[in-house]
Amino acid sequence: MTEGDFKYSDEHFADIQLLRYRLKGFENLTTQQKAYIYYLAKATLCGRDITTDQFGRYNLLIRKTLEAVYEDYQGSRNQNDFRALETYLKRVWFSNGIYHHYGCEKFVPGFSERFLRDAVCGIKADKLPLDNNETADELCDRIFPVIFDADVLPKRVNQTAGEDLVITSACNFYEGVSQQEVEDYYASQKDLSTANQPSWGLNSKLVKRNGKVFEEKWTADGLYGKAIKQIVCWLTRAAEVCENAQQEKVINLLIRYYQTGDLHLFDEYSIEWLKEQDGQVDFINGFIEVYGDPLGIKGSWEGLVEYKDMDATRRTRTISEQAQWFEDHSPVDARFKKKTVRGVTANVICAAMLGGDEYPASAIGINLPNAEWIRAQYGSKSVTIGNLTEAYNKAAKGNGFLEEFVVDSETIDLINKYGELCDDLHTDLHECLGHGSGQLLPGTDPDALKAYGSTIEEARADLFGLYYIADEKMLELGLVPNKEAYQSQYYTYMMNGLMTQLVRIEEGQQIEEAHMRNRSLIAYWALDKSKESRAVEIVKGTNGKSYVQINDFQMLREYFAEELTEIQRIKSEGDFEAARMLVERYGIKINAELHKEVKTRYTKLNIAPYKGFINPRMLPVYDKNGMIIDIKLDYTETYTQQMLRYSKEYGLL
């Protein structure tokens, strides 16, 4: 398939646009590497139901019911109720449940209760996810309050200050416990006099039954066991065709961790995973990121299979090789800097398969592991996912967004010249160095910032990138063409944080998601600092529309330096009150008038504010002995076809 034949943009529904991504250079990989990727991809797809269940205890039941109706409904498919059900189901697939993947609010169905009940009752019983002798009507009675009543489990992750974040969040990480009970339980497990603490609670559900609080581990013989056993099965196959002995060691450690649930083994696996640098193929598979937990403890399941883009990796290697210089020259207090930066590696990669919390919506950059002590002693791996960024950029060409929201033609020209380059560079700095920079003071609890921790950490990494992208070191290293290129990133970042990210939020709501809070925090803090200097401001054009205008880019950089200094102090000292004050002041509240204006202008462009991906389908070619001799890629599968196939092939829970 040639570049001209490949169609990046695909289906559009609700606030979602689906894209396809190319596996650049896949045909040049060896047969062994292709087989390795294929087995890892199967392990990635086997975790789908885990993520869906983690995001809400009724999610799987609702998804299976809706899929049965969608496939076997005998009435008119052109009626409004059925079309609304189809859209609702597509959103459930996209978000791994009934809650928006970004805003976490529950979807509002566009079909009636009567329609759905009649439809469910018209489906053969063996097609429905019925419990024991349950009837279709009884199934409806179980799930209808969750679907239709706005007051029942309304938010997947609630971050509202002053509320019990565990009781008021619908995510399926806790049962019968309060926020205080969760915090007390894990505080009792920690020994802050010992630096190398495991990530307590990362791979379990915390429950309270008969007055006793205890964990139910996610293991091969515990919760999610059926899916985890299949993950282990495919990982075992992958270990047989991996590229080197270190990869085999890494996979075997991961398998033992899945079998035992021992978090010390997970740390050992993470350290050995960091050491594996020689292979071209790599992967992420497990309970990793904690953004789906209001307390930032529990890891959502995710999977990613990748291979290095060797040409593009030269950029990230240039940055990572200078990690000590960046750490030494950071504006933060010397007490919070690493004296010796260890093991920072960075690659531009091609995603080969997305799964769990990375699918269909995916990050474009990842830095792991998350454990602070492992970062300090062993370093981190950072990736920028080049083929996903490519898909985003190709799909955005000519959509009118810049013309609508950028203040003048000169700034549009600047963004068109340098925007893609500087977006990638900021992602590299954020992931390669930002997350790995700085250190906690001895005795500081890594979870001290509680519900504000994720926002502060993302702000820290973003500010690191914003500060350094304007540094002369970028020019010295040949990463930017001139001293002005960084201005494109400053403008688009401030425009997004102050205005355009608001298109993702319903009017009347506040900012909930950690990355959005982070961008708002940075941008509005800088705007506040600019009251006298007017380094950055929101102005009204002659057309009456609001625009971001930057009058002094160097002054704005100084503000970013001040912000980075304070954010690092908060992180290093575990200053919960300072974190709370900053996030609540700058990161959450929305100007209603500006919000309405931005939404109105954006709607006229007919652009979906959220993007996600359809995976390529991998088709193995076998010889007469049953050995894989090639993997063919199919980019033609539709979103609906893929989701229904995944439910059949990987519906393991």
Side-chain angles (χ1 to χ4, degrees), residues 239-293:
E240 296 170 355
V241 294
C242 57
E243 297 173 280
N244 56 56
Q246 183 64 19
Q247 287 177 342
E248 183 178 7
K249 182 178 182 180
V250 167
I251 292 174
N252 287 332
L253 279 169
L254 179 58
I255 289 171
R256 284 174 56 201
Y257 161 64
Y258 272 137
Q259 291 169 337
T260 64
D262 184 346
L263 286 168
H264 294 284
L265 271 177
F266 180 68
D267 288 342
E268 186 179 347
Y269 151 77
S270 298
I271 292 166
E272 295 301 325
W273 176 76
L274 282 172
K275 294 177 183 178
E276 202 296 291
Q277 300 289 340
D278 295 333
Q280 189 171 354
V281 179
D282 207 347
F283 70 97
I284 296 166
N285 188 295
F287 306 104
I288 309 293
E289 301 293 357
V290 297
Y291 300 110
D293 176 3

Side-chain angles (χ1 to χ4, degrees), residues 208 381 501:
K208 182 179 181 180
K381 274 186 187 178
Q501 73 169 359

Side-chain angles (χ1 to χ4, degrees), residues 337-381:
K337 296 182 183 180
K338 287 187 173 79
K339 300 299 184 290
T340 304
V341 177
R342 294 184 174 89
V344 175
T345 61
N347 297 293
V348 177
I349 57 100
C350 283
M353 191 62 66
L354 308 172
D357 201 12
E358 287 294 328
Y359 169 80
S362 174
I364 57 172
I366 299 172
N367 181 279
L368 290 172
N370 289 325
E372 292 285 347
W373 70 268
I374 297 180
R375 289 177 186 272
Q377 295 181 33
Y378 298 95
S380 62
K381 274 186 187 178

Side-chain angles (χ1 to χ4, degrees), residues 539-558:
V539 300
K540 286 286 186 181
T542 56
N543 56 10
K545 297 178 180 179
S546 300
Y547 298 94
V548 171
Q549 182 168 295
I550 299 177
N551 302 308
D552 191 331
F553 284 93
Q554 279 302 308
M555 180 64 73
L556 181 56
R557 187 187 185 219
E558 291 179 19

Side-chain angles (χ1 to χ4, degrees), residues 359-635:
Y359 169 80
S362 174
I364 57 172
I366 299 172
N367 181 279
L368 290 172
N370 289 325
E372 292 285 347
W373 70 268
I374 297 180
R375 289 177 186 272
Q377 295 181 33
Y378 298 95
S380 62
K381 274 186 187 178
S382 172
V383 298
T384 300
I385 310 179
N387 58 338
L388 300 192
T389 302
E390 175 190 53
Y392 281 126
N393 292 336
K394 295 287 187 181
K397 293 292 185 184
N399 63 12
F401 176 80
L402 295 180
E403 289 74 11
E404 177 58 41
F405 286 104
V406 175
V407 66
D408 54 41
S409 59
E410 291 79 12
T411 307
I412 292 174
D413 290 343
L414 182 77
I415 294 168
N416 282 330
K417 282 182 182 178
Y418 308 119
E420 289 185 20
L421 168 67
C422 289
D423 279 347
D424 287 343
L425 187 53
H426 183 256
T427 300
D428 294 341
L429 289 166
H430 173 114
E431 299 293 351
C432 301
L433 302 179
H435 280 307
S437 66
Q439 63 181 357
L440 300 182
L441 292 183
T444 298
D445 184 351
D447 299 319
L449 304 183
K450 301 180 182 179
Y452 301 104
S454 295
T455 297
I456 292 297
E457 175 57 25
E458 291 303 322
R460 194 174 70 90
D462 262 2
L463 285 164
F464 192 97
L466 289 168
Y467 177 74
Y468 274 117
I469 199 171
D471 199 281
E472 289 188 1
K473 190 71 171 180
M474 296 295 105
L475 196 60
E476 177 189 323
L477 295 173
L479 296 171
V480 293
N482 55 54
K483 293 182 179 180
E484 290 73 45
Y486 79 91
Q487 295 176 4
S488 66
Q489 182 65 22
Y490 273 27
Y491 190 88
T492 55
Y493 192 95
M494 291 298 292
M495 180 178 70
N496 190 29
L498 294 173
M499 289 179 54
T500 53
Q501 73 169 359
L502 299 180
V503 303
R504 297 180 165 191
I505 302 171
E506 294 300 318
E507 289 185 48
Q509 301 293 317
Q510 62 183 15
I511 303 174
E512 297 281 355
E513 199 275 335
H515 296 80
M516 293 181 74
R517 285 186 169 188
N518 139 54
R519 292 188 287 267
S520 177
L521 165 62
I522 291 171
Y524 275 97
W525 193 357
L527 183 68
D528 195 18
K529 286 178 174 292
S530 298
K531 284 181 179 177
E532 294 185 9
S533 69
R534 297 178 62 198
V536 61
E537 55 188 336
I538 298 177
V539 300
K540 286 286 186 181
T542 56
N543 56 10
K545 297 178 180 179
S546 300
Y547 298 94
V548 171
Q549 182 168 295
I550 299 177
N551 302 308
D552 191 331
F553 284 93
Q554 279 302 308
M555 180 64 73
L556 181 56
R557 187 187 185 219
E558 291 179 19
Y559 293 154
F560 289 150
E562 291 179 36
E563 293 183 26
L564 175 58
T565 299
E566 175 61 3
I567 290 290
Q568 182 63 64
R569 183 198 68 77
I570 290 170
K571 172 86 173 182
S572 295
E573 295 181 350
D575 190 341
F576 174 82
E577 281 303 318
R580 183 190 63 80
M581 184 275 291
L582 283 175
V583 176
E584 293 290 336
R585 181 176 181 182
Y586 296 116
I588 295 176
K589 297 178 178 61
I590 297 174
N591 179 302
E593 184 178 346
L594 180 62
H595 190 191
K596 182 176 182 179
E597 177 195 334
V598 170
K599 293 274 284 185
T600 299
R601 291 163 64 184
Y602 192 83
T603 299
K604 292 178 181 178
L605 297 175
N606 194 33
I607 305 171
Y610 298 100
K611 308 292 191 293
F613 295 94
I614 301 172
N615 281 326
R617 187 173 187 180
M618 295 184 176
L619 302 171
V621 180
Y622 298 96
D623 65 13
K624 62 182 180 180
N625 298 315
M627 300 295 291
I628 289 178
I629 57 174
D630 199 6
I631 300 293
K632 298 296 185 183
L633 301 177
D634 178 9
Y635 294 105

